[in-house]
Amino acid sequence: MTAKIYAVGVGPGDPELLTRKAERIIRSVPVICTPTGTADASSYALSIVEEFIDRSRQEVLVQVFPMRKDQEGLDEFWEKAADEVAERIGQGLDVAFITIGDPFLYSTFLYLYRIFRKRYSHIPIEVVPGITSVGAASVAAGLPLGMASDRIAILPTTYEDAELIKTFRDFDTVVLMKVNRVFDRVYALLRELGLDKNAAFVRRVGSGDEEVVFDLATLVGQKLDYLSLLIVKK
């Protein structure tokens, strides 16, 4: 039987939010692949599932995926990572690529997925969905994402002001990912639109460092956590 790649969503931060299927796969596969932003950085996804891994019989393969807006020159990192996984598959070893949240929502795995489909189409891939930070943050903040005919937008905060303003006006609930570096700009837009009191900032949801902030003014000028998002609810 051909070895398989599992893309496993490990949820937002609480190990108890893993699905039973995710835990079973993580405990059983011989190789665990985990992403990190730099070679000397720890992997948040790995920290979530460490208790389920037996390093005496499982290889933990840490792969570097630089986190930056400019994608120029990053293909070599993704291709190297794909080759490393394919090498293990060629040895008959199943590989689980773990990713925060869900593998198909703004996940690092998606960069590899397109390479696997193009260069290693013979390798079977099974995607195991995970609880997203979006859903978990909504619960933590007590802000339901949507009901009835509500319109919901989920997007990275990399758009220009005019596009963000249009999104705020067109949707009932807006979730902004990767908001940490542009928070002050987004807050100014929310104040302009009178929405600054209709939002919650959530960081590291599901972890011991979870924080929910409704008074957004207190965050202006602060260095904010990368693992954070903003929910704006009309």
Side-chain angles (χ1 to χ4, degrees), residues 192-205:
E192 179 184 330
L193 297 171
L195 295 174
D196 54 303
K197 304 300 183 183
N198 298 61
F201 174 89
V202 185
R203 68 180 289 267
R204 293 194 178 253
V205 65

Side-chain angles (χ1 to χ4, degrees), residues 6-177:
Y6 295 93
V8 181
V10 301
D14 183 351
E16 292 190 341
L17 291 181
L18 261 73
T19 64
R20 292 173 62 185
K21 185 172 186 177
E23 181 181 343
R24 174 177 60 79
I25 291 170
I26 290 168
R27 287 184 182 277
S28 64
V29 296
V31 183
I32 304 286
C33 284
T34 182
T36 184
T38 60
D40 59 350
S42 60
S43 166
Y44 189 59
L46 182 61
S47 71
I48 296 171
V49 302
E50 188 70 63
E51 65 185 274
F52 307 125
I53 297 174
D54 181 356
R55 289 177 180 261
S56 68
R57 61 176 179 80
Q58 292 174 288
E59 177 189 9
V60 175
L61 180 61
V62 179
Q63 298 181 313
V64 177
F65 295 84
M67 305 295 181
R68 62 176 188 245
K69 182 178 179 180
D70 181 9
Q71 302 292 294
E72 184 87 23
L74 295 184
D75 283 354
E76 63 179 281
F77 290 93
W78 302 325
E79 290 171 359
K80 177 185 177 184
D83 291 343
E84 289 176 341
V85 172
E87 179 183 351
R88 272 71 177 178
I89 294 294
Q91 296 169 2
L93 303 174
D94 287 335
V95 177
F97 188 98
I98 59 175
T99 181
I100 301 169
D102 182 87
F104 270 23
L105 181 64
Y106 295 120
S107 161
T108 306
F109 174 74
L110 292 176
Y111 297 108
L112 288 183
Y113 184 69
R114 64 184 183 183
I115 296 176
F116 289 139
R117 287 303 189 197
K118 182 178 180 180
R119 294 173 52 185
Y120 299 105
S121 59
H122 62 286
I123 298 177
I125 299 174
E126 181 175 343
V127 179
V128 181
I131 294 176
T132 68
S133 61
V134 175
S138 168
V139 172
L143 294 175
L145 291 174
M147 63 179 292
S149 59
D150 284 355
R151 296 158 297 176
I152 304 169
I154 302 173
L155 65 159
T157 319
T158 53
Y159 291 90
E160 298 299 327
D161 289 2
E163 294 171 307
L164 288 176
I165 290 173
K166 185 177 187 303
T167 301
F168 289 135
R169 287 174 173 164
D170 290 348
F171 291 86
D172 301 292
T173 304
V174 178
V175 181
L176 298 178
M177 314 289 287

Side-chain angles (χ1 to χ4, degrees), residues 215-233:
D215 186 358
L216 301 187
T218 63
L219 301 176
V220 174
Q222 302 297 316
K223 183 178 180 181
L224 303 178
D225 200 306
Y226 173 76
L227 294 173
S228 59
L229 55 78
L230 188 68
I231 302 174
V232 182
K233 179 83 174 177

